Amino acid sequence: MASWVLSQCGIKPLPRFYPKPTTSFSSNPTPTLRFNPPTTPPSSRNGSLARTRNWALNVATPLTTLKSPSEEEHTKRFDPGAPPPFNLADIRAAIPKHCWVKNPWRSMSYVARDVAVVFGLAAVAAYFNSWLLWPLYWFAQGTMFWALFVLGHDCGHGSFSNDQRLNSVAGHLLHSSILVPYHGWRISHRTHHQNHGHVENDESWHPLPESIYKNLEKTTQIFRFTLPFPMLAYPFYLWSRSPGKKGSHYDPDSDLFLPKEKKDVLTSTACWTAMAALLVCLNFVIGPIQMLKLYGIPYWIFVMWLDFVTYLHHHGHEDKLPWYRGKAWSYLRGGLTTLDRD
């Protein structure tokens, strides 16, 4: 069971998630033998010694009685609707304090490293232009696009640095390069963390009510819930959100955003548009086929990585974390912490 908070700085245990299994005996089932010394004073020791001394062995038996299998099974069960036996303060306390120190130089070194790898992979692939290497390039470059997204994700969470301007500049450069509206997605992602798992208020990856599902068009049901189509859903989600919700991450007037956030959304949409225009221009310079090989296919590999990893974050809880809910589970997934997975 995942009973540890993991980070790059170390691990510490959280309170036990599950009640201890009920056994047929107490924690110390071995009988305790106690020897009673003589109870008669020395002065009274005479021929009646056998009658005055008690040499019996007192045996302490276990206090726990045997339980039927049904009682044991009932004891092991837990209420999936009950809150976890810890809160956000407990989670924060389990993380070493130095892990909360943000180093902008280290963060920017990750950006420089990943950007250098992206351009290096593209240069090598374009130079050799071999069909033996293109599949390897697509997988590697798609994975690097996913790495750029993760860095932008950390900018949005504020874990990149304490300087919000640096977070915004780096986040726009990183996310716009892979056609993600930085502020638009950052704000909706914040809503997701604040309402994690809520059927109505969660922004994405939440249980879909049956009434909404039945009212969806058949094609929407197939593309949303039939593999492999959900692995390609992210760009469509940015345009039209989740089923049953209206608006767009590019529209500052969407109910996703507050009026004061309109300027931020416009800025991100402008950066996204500039990147899209750059890609169109490159199509005329090097040709659409070359652009498809260099950027188009890696982009879709990145989308598959994003949807696949996000799926793992929100599913499989029966085997891992059966009753994490709301902000506690969302907090463990976001920011500096993560949970071990096979």
Side-chain angles (χ1 to χ4, degrees), residues 20-21 27 90 108 147 171 183 194 202 219 247 250 271 288 314 340 342:
K20 292 183 178 180
S27 58
D90 296 326
M108 287 303 300
H183 281 309
Q194 291 174 342
D202 194 354
T219 54
Y250 304 93
C271 291
H314 295 79
D340 180 40
D342 294 338

Side-chain angles (χ1 to χ4, degrees), residues 296-317:
I297 297 178
Y299 170 79
W300 285 107
I301 297 294
F302 144 67
V303 169
M304 294 178 68
W305 266 124
L306 172 59
D307 287 334
F308 180 62
V309 172
T310 310
Y311 178 89
L312 290 178
H313 276 165
H314 295 79
H315 294 75
H317 56 276

Side-chain angles (χ1 to χ4, degrees), residues 51-183:
R51 295 191 304 271
T52 59
R53 293 192 180 187
N54 179 11
W55 296 94
L57 291 176
N58 292 338
V59 180
T61 58
L63 298 178
T64 305
T65 58
L66 292 174
K67 293 185 178 182
S68 65
S70 61
E71 290 177 329
E72 287 192 17
E73 183 65 25
H74 178 73
T75 306
K76 292 179 182 179
R77 292 176 184 172
F78 55 84
D79 180 8
F86 52 84
N87 53 36
L88 296 184
D90 296 326
I91 299 174
R92 291 184 66 93
I95 302 173
K97 292 184 178 180
H98 64 272
C99 293
W100 298 100
V101 178
K102 305 168 189 176
N103 187 336
W105 292 105
R106 172 179 289 184
S107 298
M108 287 303 300
S109 72
Y110 294 151
V111 174
R113 178 197 64 186
D114 289 356
V115 170
V117 173
V118 167
F119 280 99
L121 287 172
V124 170
Y127 176 80
F128 288 101
N129 195 19
S130 170
W131 284 105
L132 294 176
L133 295 179
W134 280 118
L136 296 176
Y137 165 77
W138 293 332
F139 179 80
Q141 192 70 295
T143 304
M144 290 309 303
F145 282 10
W146 161 244
L148 297 181
F149 177 88
V150 172
L151 288 173
H153 164 274
D154 291 347
C155 291
H157 273 293
S159 58
F160 189 85
S161 76
N162 287 321
D163 189 339
Q164 293 304 314
R165 290 175 298 180
L166 176 61
N167 293 341
S168 182
V169 171
H172 275 99
L173 292 174
L174 292 163
H175 274 188
S176 297
S177 67
I178 50 176
L179 297 178
V180 176
Y182 172 71
H183 281 309

Side-chain angles (χ1 to χ4, degrees), residues 261-311:
E261 296 168 333
K262 183 175 182 178
K263 182 178 179 181
D264 290 338
V265 178
L266 284 173
T267 301
S268 297
T269 301
C271 291
W272 184 96
T273 304
M275 181 61 190
L278 175 62
L279 294 175
V280 171
C281 293
L282 289 175
N283 271 280
F284 290 102
V285 174
I286 65 176
I289 300 299
Q290 192 73 347
M291 274 300 298
L292 178 65
K293 292 189 294 184
L294 285 173
Y295 186 92
I297 297 178
Y299 170 79
W300 285 107
I301 297 294
F302 144 67
V303 169
M304 294 178 68
W305 266 124
L306 172 59
D307 287 334
F308 180 62
V309 172
T310 310
Y311 178 89

Side-chain angles (χ1 to χ4, degrees), residues 218-236:
K218 190 62 177 179
T219 54
T220 303
Q221 292 181 3
I222 293 174
F223 282 110
R224 287 283 187 175
F225 304 103
T226 304
L227 287 175
F229 301 114
M231 300 289 290
L232 308 173
Y234 183 66
F236 302 99

